[in-house]
């Protein structure tokens, strides 16, 4: 589709005087350009909470019920740093996570005092559609984990990458393989080994 990827390089400066002429990379290469789209990422705005007594660490820290370090305070959304029931933790800047978190927190706020708090058992998930392909990520994929590349489907044209951490299956990324990716949800929630997950997919 005419897209060039420049890996292992950073943008060091925009080139041009009165108007944009290009982008200089850390490799020294200058790419001619008349327009730039900048993705700035997400940084939680928590400065106003510094004196609140809440535990702040890459957002507002919560347990798997959404409860913060203050008993009657819960947090959801981009600013909420949740600990999952699997022991992993982080912020998930996606609208599906905000909805899943809100359901759990609403139930806990409305519950009787003596009732056990509901826990969030869902997994981080996002997707994007590009050039007729559906890209999906489920669970906890990351560059520091071991990857296992599988070519699945009757024509072996469904690319799925499984991620493991110390032999535990922790995440899935797929390209145009929505049924396969979503079939791994139960496996991820079951704390399956990577060997078991691969076998389940290869012999499905």
């Amino acid at each position: 589709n005419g897209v060039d990827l420049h890996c292992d390089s950073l943008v060091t400066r925009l080139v041009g005087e009165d108007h944009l002429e290009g982008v200089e990379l850390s490799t020294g290469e200058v790419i001619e350009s008349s327009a730039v789209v900048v993705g700035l990422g997400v940084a939680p705005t928590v400065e106003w909470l510094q004196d609140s007594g809440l535990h702040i660490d890459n957002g507002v820290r919560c347990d798997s019920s959404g409860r913060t370090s203050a008993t009657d305070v819960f947090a959801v959304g981009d600013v909420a740093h949740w600990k999952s029931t699997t022991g992993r933790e982080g912020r998930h800047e996606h609208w599906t996570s905000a909805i899943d978190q809100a359901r759990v927190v609403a139930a806990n706020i409305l519950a009787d005092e003596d009732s056990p708090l509901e826990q969030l058992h869902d997994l981080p998930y996002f997707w994007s559609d590009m050039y007729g392909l559906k890209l999906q990520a489920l669970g906890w994929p990351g560059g520091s984990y071991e990857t296992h590349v599988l070519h699945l489907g009757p024509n072996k044209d469904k690319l799925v990458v499984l991620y493991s951490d110390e032999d535990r299956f922790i995440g899935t990324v797929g390209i145009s393989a929505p049924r396969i990716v979503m079939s791994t949800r139960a496996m991820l929630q079951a704390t399956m080994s990577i060997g078991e997950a691969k076998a389940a997919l290869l012999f499905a």
Side-chain angles (χ1 to χ4, degrees):
N1 293 283
V3 177
D4 294 325
L5 299 179
H6 296 264
C7 301
D8 299 320
S9 60
L10 300 173
V11 174
T12 55
R13 70 185 182 99
L14 302 181
V15 178
E17 295 295 335
D18 298 327
H19 61 275
L20 179 69
E21 298 176 2
V23 175
E24 183 178 287
L25 303 181
S26 55
T27 58
E29 181 182 3
V30 176
I31 302 170
E32 292 185 8
S33 178
S34 59
V36 172
V37 177
V38 181
L40 296 177
V42 177
T45 303
V46 292
E47 294 77 12
W48 63 285
L49 293 171
Q50 292 300 333
D51 298 325
S52 66
L54 298 177
H55 183 187
I56 305 296
D57 177 17
N58 185 30
V60 179
R61 291 295 295 266
C62 308
D63 62 16
S64 55
S65 73
R67 175 173 277 172
T68 69
S69 55
T71 303
D72 296 324
V73 178
F74 295 81
V76 299
D78 291 357
V79 77
H81 182 140
W82 280 53
K83 183 171 184 177
S84 76
T85 52
T86 64
R88 301 183 184 279
E89 59 185 54
R91 292 184 303 107
H92 311 297
E93 302 94 344
H94 197 274
W95 62 268
T96 55
S97 294
I99 291 173
D100 295 334
Q101 293 169 0
R103 288 194 182 107
V104 170
V105 166
N108 288 332
I109 290 174
L110 296 172
D112 296 331
E113 282 189 25
D114 298 331
S115 300
L117 291 176
E118 186 171 337
Q119 309 293 304
L120 180 67
H121 298 290
D122 210 355
L123 294 162
Y125 172 66
F126 77 90
W127 75 93
S128 182
D129 296 308
M130 296 184 181
Y131 305 114
L133 300 176
K134 181 174 288 294
L135 312 178
Q136 294 170 287
L138 178 65
W140 306 87
S144 62
Y145 299 125
E146 187 175 354
T147 57
H148 310 262
V149 180
L150 305 178
H151 295 276
L152 303 173
N155 300 318
K156 304 300 182 185
D157 58 345
K158 304 296 184 183
L159 177 63
V160 177
V161 182
L162 306 184
Y163 289 75
S164 63
D165 182 16
E166 295 183 352
D167 196 48
R168 180 179 173 186
F169 175 40
I170 61 169
T172 309
V173 169
I175 300 178
S176 294
R179 182 188 63 79
I180 297 171
V181 170
M182 299 316 292
S183 74
T184 65
R185 181 184 294 275
M187 301 181 201
L188 290 165
Q189 292 174 325
T191 64
M192 188 177 285
S193 74
I194 188 63
E196 291 171 326
K198 289 168 69 175
L201 292 176
L202 288 170
F203 300 105

